[in-house]
């Protein structure tokens, strides 16, 4: 790997580099800086607008050639996936094999699961995206990025975004992506209070309310960290309130992050349960994470930089 992967935060570049016959990569956490969601449409989808970024923390995958396709899951959150015989990584790789015309790809995949499950961080989709990029490298496939994105779309709505793994606007059902290269790196702390927040349940709770509009706001005129934080303060996550109704501890995590001296803005990511706190400096983010981990030892807390992976 280009950069060592530390056990606490899995900070690493999401590059695809070979070491002997094995390639390694980071499946970075996805964070929705805002998420505007519309009511259910006639096709059964929710239109949305979001600006999503990726952190320099996440799960770690290793892929190598083998006699058959297999997946081994380890890591602090690996146990939660132990009963899944066909998770997103395997589904993505089988879809990739079909697209490449090679059948089931003969690969041994190891997943070090470091992100919480059902956490609003796109973990499963990010794992699938990283696995496809690594598999293309190992097998020498000629599929270009557009073909890979089409495969990712088969896996789930977050598939193309997590395959891209770069800051982007998402619109429509999440499939219309526009990269946003002007966004600066944003120091942050990620806080998960240790409860799952399944996407389907949160959307059902959202549907029971009055609904909102999937409006994409005008882009900032100033892309400095301070100005972006101020701009985001006028945005929202429409799934935050229904997620808190289902899991009140998410509200406690949000309040704790918002009250931290180093946090300038706190919001829930995706459908929860992870909350992010934007900070002005990396030093503030690290100090905040240390203090929150000490105050809430049962919570998952990490400092990170959002949009650091250019």
């Amino acid at each position: 790997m280009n950069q060592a992967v530390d056990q606490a935060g899995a900070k690493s570049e999401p590059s695809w580099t070979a070491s002997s016959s094995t390639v390694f990569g980071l499946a970075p956490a996805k964070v929705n800086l805002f998420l505007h969601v519309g009511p259910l449409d006639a096709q059964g989808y929710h239109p949305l607008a979001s600006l999503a970024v990726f952190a320099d923390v996440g799960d770690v995958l290793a892929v190598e050639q083998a006699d058959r396709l297999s997946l081994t899951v380890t890591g602090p959150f690996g146990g939660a996936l132990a009963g899944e015989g066909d998770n997103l990584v395997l589904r993505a790789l089988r879809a990739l094999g079909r697209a490449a015309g090679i059948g089931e790809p003969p690969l041994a995949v190891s997943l070090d699961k470091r992100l919480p499950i059902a956490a609003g961080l796109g973990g499963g989709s990010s794992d699938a995206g990283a696995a496809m990029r690594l598999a293309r490298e190992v097998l020498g496939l000629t599929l270009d990025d557009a073909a890979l994105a089409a495969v990712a779309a088969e896996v789930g709505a977050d598939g193309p975004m997590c395959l891209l793994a770069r800051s982007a606007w998402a619109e429509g059902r999440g499939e219309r992506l526009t990269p946003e290269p002007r966004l600066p790196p944003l120091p942050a702390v990620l806080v998960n209070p240790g409860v799952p927040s399944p996407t389907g349940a949160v959307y059902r709770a959202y549907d029971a309310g009055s609904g909102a509009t999937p409006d994409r706001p005008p882009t900032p005129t100033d892309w400095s960290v301070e100005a972006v934080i101020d701009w985001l303060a006028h945005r929202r996550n429409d799934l935050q309130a229904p997620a808190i109704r289902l899991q009140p501890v998410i509200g406690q995590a949000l309040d704790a992050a918002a009250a931290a001296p180093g946090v300038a803005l706190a919001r829930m990511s995706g459908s929860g349960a992870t909350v992010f706190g934007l900070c002005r400096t990396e030093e503030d983010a690290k100090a905040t994470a240390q203090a929150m981990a000490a105050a809430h030892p049962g919570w998952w807390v990490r400092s990170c930089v959002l949009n650091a992976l250019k």
Side-chain angles (χ1 to χ4, degrees):
M1 298 176 65
N2 289 344
Q3 182 178 346
V5 179
D6 70 309
Q7 292 297 319
K11 294 200 173 185
S12 175
E13 296 285 343
S15 55
W16 321 106
T17 57
S19 174
S20 300
S21 60
T22 306
V23 293
F24 300 85
L26 179 72
K30 177 180 70 69
V31 171
N32 297 94
L33 295 176
F34 73 85
L35 181 57
H36 298 175
V37 181
L40 199 66
D41 64 20
Q43 288 73 44
Y45 293 92
H46 293 86
L48 58 85
S50 181
L51 178 57
V53 295
F54 289 82
D56 58 355
V57 300
D59 299 330
V60 178
L61 287 92
V63 177
E64 61 185 349
Q65 291 195 27
D67 294 331
R68 60 181 180 85
L69 179 63
S70 66
L71 173 65
T72 301
V73 184
T74 60
F77 295 99
L81 300 180
E84 286 195 344
D86 186 29
N87 72 5
L88 285 181
V89 169
L90 292 174
R91 286 164 55 189
L93 291 177
R94 290 184 177 119
L96 177 65
R98 291 193 298 271
I102 62 171
E104 190 169 271
L107 298 168
V109 182
S110 297
L111 169 61
D112 185 355
K113 191 66 184 171
R114 303 181 180 191
L115 295 177
I117 308 297
L121 296 174
S125 295
S126 190
D127 293 341
M132 286 191 292
R133 294 291 298 268
L134 293 167
R136 181 172 65 175
E137 174 78 14
V138 170
L139 298 174
L141 302 179
T142 58
L143 294 175
D144 61 15
D145 288 348
L148 220 57
V151 175
E154 294 181 32
V155 179
D158 264 356
M161 166 70 79
C162 290
L163 177 69
L164 177 66
R166 296 293 185 271
S167 61
W169 303 86
E171 297 175 271
R173 299 169 182 172
E175 83 284 5
R176 296 206 313 264
L177 302 177
T178 306
E180 184 46 84
R182 295 170 292 181
L183 191 72
L186 298 169
V189 57
L190 302 179
V191 182
N192 185 287
V195 296
S197 184
T199 300
V202 174
Y203 269 103
R204 287 190 292 273
Y206 169 80
D207 289 336
S210 58
T213 57
D215 54 308
R216 172 174 165 171
T219 57
T221 56
D222 180 349
W223 289 94
S224 66
V225 170
E226 193 73 34
V228 167
I229 290 174
D230 181 67
W231 176 80
L232 285 170
H234 300 281
R235 315 280 82 84
R236 63 189 190 273
N237 181 345
D238 291 328
L239 299 183
Q240 184 171 291
I244 291 173
R245 288 198 299 271
L246 294 175
Q247 293 283 14
V249 70
I250 298 174
Q252 298 173 27
L254 186 65
D255 290 343
V263 171
L265 174 69
R267 179 169 289 148
M268 190 184 79
S269 176
S271 56
T274 303
V275 167
F276 65 91
L278 296 182
C279 303
R280 294 178 177 86
T281 67
E282 290 188 50
E283 290 73 19
D284 284 345
K286 292 175 181 177
T288 298
Q290 184 176 17
M292 292 194 70
H296 304 280
W299 292 2
W300 179 86
V301 182
R302 295 289 184 272
S303 66
C304 66
V305 178
L306 304 177
N307 198 42
L309 308 171
K310 297 290 188 177

